[in-house]
Amino acid sequence: MGDSDTSGRGGGPERVPGRSRRRFPGISSRAYEHPADRSALVALRKLTGFDTAFKALSGLLPERSLRLLYLSDSVRVSDRQFAHLNDMLRDACYILDLEKVPAMYITQNPQPNAMCIGMDEPIVVLTTGLVELLDEEEMRAVIGHEVGHALSGHSVYRTILLFLTSLALKVAWIPLGNVAVLALVTALREWFRKSELSADRAGLLVGQDLHASMRGLMKLAGGHHLHEMNVDAFLEQAEEYESSGDMRDSVLKILNMLPRSHPFTTVRAAELKKWAASRDYQRLMDGHYPRRDEDKDTSVGDSFRESASHYAESVRTSKDPLMAFVRDVAGGAGDLGSKLRDRFGGGRTGGETSEGSDAEDRSGAGGTGREDGPAGPENGPEDTEGPDGPDTPRKG
């Protein structure tokens, strides 16, 4: 697994994987977590009644029943069953330094899907549709994706979401029409969509093959016909999706997204490629990343500021018509506020002079010559304010 030693012991070479991969000892999930994932989770925890509901559901969730279900009606991956997937799982845990390898099951379902669930101990579930769809390197990225969920602790909230949206339909005493339950489900979906962006990054860290990650996402969108698809054209779809249309289309995008548990595949591909080209990714690959033993010293405020900065940058660079409108409104409000302060706060605007007023100020202030009011346009509001957009969590 990982960077294998080719020398071996006892004089014979050990079996070496197709190519070596960098390992990340002690890596913290903060190294790859998307800022939107962290901020959405903070918003979720601030949701009114979330703590109470979480504690109640933690005791009610039939986790033991789920484990027995997969044990009895699925195939558990091991050295004797789906051995190649077992090797990938162990390799992913080795690369991300996950101490305990989670159990993994293959379940019969033609729909390509994978998930990491569990309250006490995470388990990974892959469908047969996914196993049949992806090649080895694409599957390696997917398994790394699920191990990333496990390392980040996402499985707990994913289990609650699964219970509320699927299993709860069979339980008559759960008030599905209750506004509080619907709010919790909506908040969980908002967070989970963001958590997928983090897990995609973890999958890239494990596979360390951006093209394989891209191919996997394309296959999830277009099926087996990889020879008919093109990565660049696929990413162009994401560009067109973000920038085309008007504000009506922006609203429709939000409405289309609300019932989904995953972001759209073109958007995921574009986000992953952007991160792979970033300095943060390069530093991580060079061995500079936050460690797990530093997590206790992490400032929540710093994480929140990082998330706020991410949203501000998203608004500033987004080509979505609604985001452009938000930018224009924020910029217009800033200009208006600056002009009002200049007009009524004693400052100067344009090339105007007010020597009479200055003389009065000097005489009244003992001849100090101090001028009040803004010193120039740099004192006006910056564009970083108002990072509210479709992706901004608004709960709680």
Side-chain angles (χ1 to χ4, degrees):
M1 296 183 296
D3 296 329
S4 298
D5 182 5
T6 58
S7 62
R9 295 181 180 177
E14 294 181 354
R15 185 174 63 86
V16 181
R19 61 185 180 84
S20 62
R21 292 177 176 81
R22 184 175 297 277
R23 185 173 178 253
F24 307 99
I27 189 172
S28 167
S29 61
R30 292 181 291 118
Y32 60 81
E33 283 174 344
H34 194 284
D37 173 13
R38 270 176 271 164
S39 58
L41 191 56
V42 169
L44 173 65
R45 289 167 175 163
K46 286 184 177 181
L47 185 68
T48 302
F50 174 76
D51 287 340
T52 302
F54 179 79
K55 291 176 183 177
L57 288 169
S58 296
L60 293 173
L61 287 176
E63 182 176 9
R64 184 180 297 273
S65 175
L66 277 176
R67 291 181 182 277
L68 290 173
L69 177 63
Y70 286 115
L71 191 62
S72 64
D73 204 34
S74 300
V75 176
R76 182 164 61 187
V77 173
S78 67
D79 289 333
R80 296 181 295 168
Q81 299 187 117
F82 291 98
H84 70 292
L85 296 180
N86 189 55
D87 289 341
M88 290 184 198
L89 176 63
R90 288 162 57 85
D91 192 56
C93 293
Y94 179 74
I95 290 174
L96 294 181
D97 200 14
L98 186 64
E99 295 180 0
K100 187 172 183 179
V101 179
M104 186 161 71
Y105 294 89
I106 308 298
T107 186
Q108 174 62 35
N109 188 332
Q111 181 72 27
N113 198 12
M115 61 181 174
C116 180
I117 58 174
M119 300 292 291
D120 299 323
E121 295 183 3
I123 62 174
V124 176
V125 181
L126 308 178
T127 65
T128 52
L130 187 70
V131 174
E132 293 164 2
L133 178 66
L134 304 182
D135 67 24
E136 181 175 345
E137 291 303 309
E138 295 156 7
M139 181 59 73
R140 190 183 299 276
V142 168
I143 291 176
H145 174 112
E146 299 306 325
V147 170
H149 276 312
L151 183 58
S152 292
H154 291 161
S155 61
V156 174
Y157 301 103
R158 179 69 173 100
T159 306
I160 292 176
L161 178 60
L162 179 67
F163 178 72
L164 289 176
T165 56
S166 300
L167 300 181
L169 296 175
K170 303 176 183 178
V171 184
W173 50 268
I174 293 209
L176 289 178
N178 190 289
V179 174
V181 173
L182 292 177
L184 183 56
V185 169
T186 301
L188 278 165
R189 279 178 174 157
E190 169 67 14
W191 159 75
F192 191 72
R193 286 191 293 269
K194 308 307 182 193
S195 75
E196 287 296 291
L197 301 178
S198 296
D200 283 343
R201 294 178 173 186
L204 179 58
L205 292 180
V206 168
Q208 298 175 25
D209 184 343
L210 180 61
H211 292 293
S213 295
M214 292 290 161
R215 291 199 309 269
L217 289 170
M218 284 199 303
K219 284 185 176 181
L220 289 177
H224 285 282
H225 309 288
L226 192 61
H227 62 286
E228 297 285 354
M229 294 183 277
N230 178 275
V231 171
D232 292 334
F234 189 66
L235 292 172
E236 286 170 7
Q237 290 182 224
E239 176 79 11
E240 182 179 348
Y241 172 78
E242 182 182 0
S243 60
S244 65
D246 53 23
M247 282 196 290
R248 291 172 299 178
D249 294 311
S250 297
V251 173
L252 290 175
K253 293 175 188 176
I254 297 172
L255 295 177
N256 287 340
M257 180 63 72
L258 285 177
R260 294 175 60 92
S261 63
H262 288 60
F264 295 118
T265 48
T266 56
V267 175
R268 291 172 63 183
E271 282 283 338
L272 187 60
K273 185 178 181 183
K274 185 189 304 181
W275 186 65
S278 70
R279 185 169 179 269
D280 288 340
Y281 176 74
Q282 188 56 57
R283 281 180 52 82
L284 200 160
M285 294 302 295
D286 289 340
H288 305 291
Y289 53 84
R291 262 65 175 181
R292 240 167 281 165
D293 55 12
E294 302 168 352
D295 285 351
K296 62 182 182 300
D297 302 321
T298 304
S299 167
V300 175
D302 289 343
S303 297
F304 186 79
R305 281 189 290 273
E306 182 182 350
S307 300
S309 175
H310 163 75
Y311 279 118
E313 181 65 19
S314 297
V315 171
R316 193 159 45 240
T317 60
S318 175
K319 298 179 182 179
D320 182 89
L322 182 58
M323 289 297 95
F325 175 74
V326 170
R327 271 199 312 273
D328 292 342
V329 169
D335 291 342
L336 178 60
S338 179
K339 290 175 182 177
L340 287 174
R341 279 196 297 273
D342 287 341
R343 178 66 182 84
F344 298 104
R348 302 178 185 179
T349 58
E352 297 177 1
T353 60
S354 51
E355 294 181 5
S357 298
D358 289 345
E360 292 176 3
D361 288 342
R362 293 191 190 97
S363 62
T368 60
R370 184 186 65 187
E371 296 182 8
D372 296 329
E378 64 270 20
N379 286 345
E382 298 178 357
D383 288 342
T384 54
E385 297 180 2
D388 296 334
D391 285 342
T392 307
R394 302 288 296 180
K395 287 74 182 183

